[in-house]
Amino acid sequence: MSGSLAIVGLGPGEARYLTPSALAALEAASDLVGYGPYLDRVPERAGQAKHASDNRVEVERARHALMLAAEGKAVAVVSGGDPGVFAMAAAVFEALEAGEPSWRRLQITVEPGITAMLAAAAKAGAPLGGDFCAISLSDNLKPWEVVTARLSAALSADFVIALYNPISKARPWQLGKALELAATIRAAETPVIFARAVGRPDENLRVLTLTEAVAAADSADMATLVMIGASATRLIAREGRNPIVYTPRSVTKSPCATSQGRT
């Protein structure tokens, strides 16, 4: 087949967060497929068609992209952040596995982007300096009981935890329940980061205690990345500014512990 499909991560917001490789894939595409607000972030180019769709039709969007590529077109599926993190890459491969056998002959590439937890971590300091994990609070594709079981395990294992898809109009209660669960396992003074719209003009970053975060849960939205610190996560106070949040690489709490891992 002469068609191709690139699954492209747009990063968290501004064009400066877009990798050169992702930009090249966008420029080479004859057709762009994606969620409408993400497509709006891609500049208009002469001769390039845009195919926008709603947020909850990922697999249908992926099938459409594969069909366009099978027709010989150079297709780019756009995704916010990194396409492999709770995003379009998995949807495309799900559609590929269940779809036409001929689609498997297509040239398919994944162009990574800066995912929300990495953008938020960079703004806050280095909260992901130790072991960490990412959990989506959305129960659209998995039962809430699975979410809470995984969250409980991660909390007990003392990971720093990045919470994606924390809250929406359809499920306004889930972040509060997740943070209440965290408060039964983690100390009340555990640092929690609320990072909203990182990389965009309306960016906002708050560093709270876990107790404060429980009370502030309803102030988050789908543009917010919530990060729960581990027992070793530390704050460096700065007058008039957010503290620096970091997690030492060592499992000890000493800020000058013997180096473990890369420097």
Side-chain angles (χ1 to χ4, degrees):
M1 286 187 172
S2 59
S4 64
L5 192 153
I7 312 164
V8 181
L10 299 179
E14 295 178 354
R16 63 194 175 101
Y17 291 110
L18 186 68
T19 69
S21 182
L23 178 59
L26 293 174
E27 291 176 341
S30 62
D31 293 74
L32 301 179
V33 176
Y35 176 43
Y38 294 152
L39 283 180
D40 292 341
R41 288 166 50 186
V42 182
E44 298 288 340
R45 292 184 175 88
Q48 194 174 66
K50 290 186 176 182
H51 308 265
S53 54
D54 189 62
N55 194 31
R56 290 198 177 188
V57 292
E58 289 91 347
V59 175
E60 292 87 344
R61 183 187 306 142
R63 291 194 190 102
H64 184 209
L66 287 162
M67 287 188 287
L68 289 172
E71 294 171 2
K73 297 180 178 179
V75 181
V77 176
V78 301
S79 187
D82 183 279
V85 181
F86 305 123
M88 280 305 300
V92 168
F93 294 130
E94 181 180 344
L96 179 70
E97 183 178 20
E100 297 293 331
S102 60
W103 291 351
R104 302 189 184 199
R105 298 198 297 272
L106 289 166
Q107 177 185 337
I108 301 176
T109 57
V110 180
E111 297 294 346
I114 300 172
T115 189
M117 68 178 177
L118 299 183
K123 292 289 183 178
L128 303 180
D131 293 333
F132 63 89
C133 69
I135 296 175
S136 171
L137 292 189
S138 173
D139 61 354
N140 290 333
L141 299 174
K142 60 181 182 288
W144 179 244
E145 292 75 18
V146 171
V147 176
T148 54
R150 292 175 178 175
L151 181 57
S152 294
L155 288 163
S156 298
D158 203 18
F159 289 112
V160 174
I161 305 171
L163 299 177
Y164 281 72
N165 305 315
I167 199 167
S168 71
K169 291 180 180 179
R171 42 182 187 80
W173 53 271
Q174 286 167 301
L175 177 60
K177 291 295 184 183
L179 292 171
E180 288 170 6
L181 174 60
T184 68
I185 299 173
R186 298 277 169 94
E189 66 273 13
T190 299
V192 178
I193 298 165
F194 278 41
R196 186 186 183 283
V198 172
R200 286 176 260 173
D202 55 341
E203 171 183 305
N204 180 263
L205 188 139
R206 290 179 288 163
V207 180
L208 309 172
T209 66
L210 180 51
T211 298
E212 291 170 337
V214 171
D218 62 0
S219 68
D221 60 16
M222 282 294 283
T224 306
L225 186 287
V226 177
M227 195 176 298
I228 304 171
S231 63
T233 302
R234 304 173 66 85
L235 301 180
I236 302 174
R238 298 186 293 173
E239 186 175 351
R241 304 169 68 183
N242 275 330
I244 292 172
V245 186
Y246 84 101
T247 304
R249 294 171 296 165
S250 171
V251 295
T252 74
K253 292 187 178 181
S254 169
C256 298
T258 301
S259 176
Q260 296 182 6
R262 293 175 293 178
T263 58

